[in-house]
Amino acid sequence: ERSWRILIQRVSFQTSLTRSPSAHSVKHMFRNDYDTDVTTFSPAGRIHQVEYAIAAVKQGSACVAVKSDTHAVLACVMRKESELGSHQEKLFKVDDHLGIGISGLIADGRVLCKYLRTECLNHKFVFEAPMQVGRLVKQLSDKSQVFTQTQQKRPYGVGLLVIGYDETGAHVYETVPSGNHFEYIAQAMGKRSQSARTYLEKYFKEFKNMELGDLVNHSLKSLKGASEEKLTKSNCAVAFVGKDRKFTVLTGDKLAPYMELAVEGDEEKKEESKEMVEDS
């Protein structure tokens, strides 16, 4: 009789463990059961695969965009796999009046860049006019949203900063893997981007009537706190577009005067940098 009582107690104890799992095991179970695809919501109302894609954007190197009434500027930090390799390209021209900077999975960014270029070409062929920046960004967000509710596909693991100039003025947009898009005066994304946003929040009220050279200077200064290493002409790139100015990317020696001004704070070269912008 005693052995039977012991056996019943053991079974009751094991049953209670099964029916009342710990908070840690419940959390672990939810992660396993609800993050295998993008069509299943967790009990908390979250889609983990989309959150993972957004986390991939935050792990990419920093990218910054600022705008005035007449110009928009992109600046980014470029990584390389080793000392023997080259830096990854992060700024891409889409059309003469717009371009993008990316953070996250570079390969996903190239695919989206190709899509944007195709849409711009189609619009120019049909309507004989450049595509409005806001309309193109909306189409891109709609495309990204489809990948958040299709089981056979994963979300794009890349965020885009889109700058452009059209008949409505200069624009800066951000797109995220969830399918949302936002327009900004200035924005930063990627790893350690909070430092860059703090800088931009301090000076954004001055951007409205700022000249192009000063915008480039501020964009590079905002990147200093977001970079894990010293900024140089080799690991940075800048692009700009504006009124009567096509989308242009500055790297290497063309970027050197701005780097000296922004990173080293050489005020004597400020006028020289502005002249370089005018000649670009």
Side-chain angles (χ1 to χ4, degrees):
E1 183 179 357
R2 182 180 179 183
S3 61
W4 277 105
R5 288 180 179 178
I6 295 175
L7 180 60
I8 292 173
Q9 289 176 355
R10 287 180 180 178
V11 172
S12 299
F13 178 73
Q14 292 177 356
T15 303
S16 65
L17 288 179
T18 304
R19 293 180 178 178
S20 304
S22 65
H24 175 75
S25 63
V26 169
K27 182 178 179 181
H28 183 69
M29 179 185 67
F30 284 171
R31 278 294 185 182
N32 286 338
D33 290 347
Y34 298 101
D35 67 353
T36 55
D37 59 65
V38 297
T39 62
T40 305
F41 283 91
S42 74
R46 299 161 61 184
I47 303 178
H48 293 299
Q49 283 291 328
V50 176
E51 294 181 6
Y52 297 161
I54 295 174
V57 177
K58 296 179 180 178
Q59 294 302 313
S61 55
C63 188
V64 171
V66 298
K67 73 165 186 174
S68 66
D69 286 344
T70 56
H71 296 88
V73 174
L74 274 173
C76 71
V77 180
M78 300 184 295
R79 290 174 177 169
K80 60 180 180 180
E81 292 297 324
S82 69
E83 292 297 325
L84 302 178
S86 61
H87 291 88
Q88 287 184 318
E89 185 180 4
K90 292 191 57 175
L91 303 183
F92 298 92
K93 176 181 178 180
V94 176
D95 202 349
D96 288 338
H97 68 297
L98 69 94
I100 61 172
I102 63 179
S103 181
L105 301 181
I106 305 296
D108 285 8
R110 290 199 303 267
V111 171
L112 292 180
C113 182
K114 182 178 180 181
Y115 168 77
L116 294 176
R117 288 170 176 169
T118 302
E119 291 300 309
C120 285
L121 285 174
N122 291 339
H123 189 278
K124 187 175 294 185
F125 178 78
V126 174
F127 299 102
E128 298 182 355
M131 192 170 190
Q132 284 192 358
V133 182
R135 184 179 300 172
L136 181 63
V137 171
K138 184 178 183 301
Q139 287 187 206
L140 174 62
S141 297
D142 291 343
K143 179 179 176 67
S144 298
Q145 193 277 332
V146 172
F147 285 73
T148 68
Q149 60 180 29
T150 304
Q151 188 173 14
Q152 291 82 7
K153 301 176 181 179
R154 66 165 175 80
Y156 290 109
V158 64
L160 273 62
L161 286 178
V162 183
I163 65 169
Y165 186 89
D166 55 28
E167 58 186 9
T168 62
H171 300 279
V172 169
Y173 288 94
E174 180 190 22
T175 69
V176 293
S178 63
N180 291 327
H181 66 276
F182 310 93
E183 185 170 11
Y184 291 93
I185 298 174
Q187 174 64 338
M189 67 178 182
K191 194 172 184 179
R192 302 176 66 177
S193 59
Q194 182 56 50
S195 174
R197 281 194 293 271
T198 300
Y199 178 92
L200 295 174
E201 289 170 358
K202 183 178 179 181
Y203 293 101
F204 78 95
K205 293 181 180 179
E206 304 174 11
F207 294 163
K208 182 177 178 61
N209 298 314
M210 192 170 284
E211 296 181 0
L212 177 57
D214 293 329
L215 282 177
V216 173
N217 186 36
H218 278 291
S219 64
L220 289 172
K221 283 185 176 181
S222 68
L223 279 180
K224 287 196 294 183
S227 176
E228 298 176 346
E229 56 185 12
K230 182 178 179 180
L231 298 182
T232 67
K233 65 180 182 180
S234 300
N235 64 8
C236 281
V238 170
F240 62 83
V241 67
K243 186 176 182 180
D244 301 325
R245 284 185 177 275
K246 295 181 179 181
F247 185 86
T248 305
V249 179
L250 302 178
T251 57
D253 292 337
K254 292 183 178 180
L255 184 60
Y258 310 107
M259 296 300 304
E260 294 177 2
L261 174 62
V263 178
E264 300 176 9
D266 189 355
E267 295 297 333
E268 294 180 357
K269 297 187 178 182
K270 187 173 183 179
E271 294 298 327
E272 179 182 348
S273 295
K274 292 181 179 179
E275 292 176 3
M276 288 288 294
V277 172
E278 296 298 329
D279 296 334
S280 298

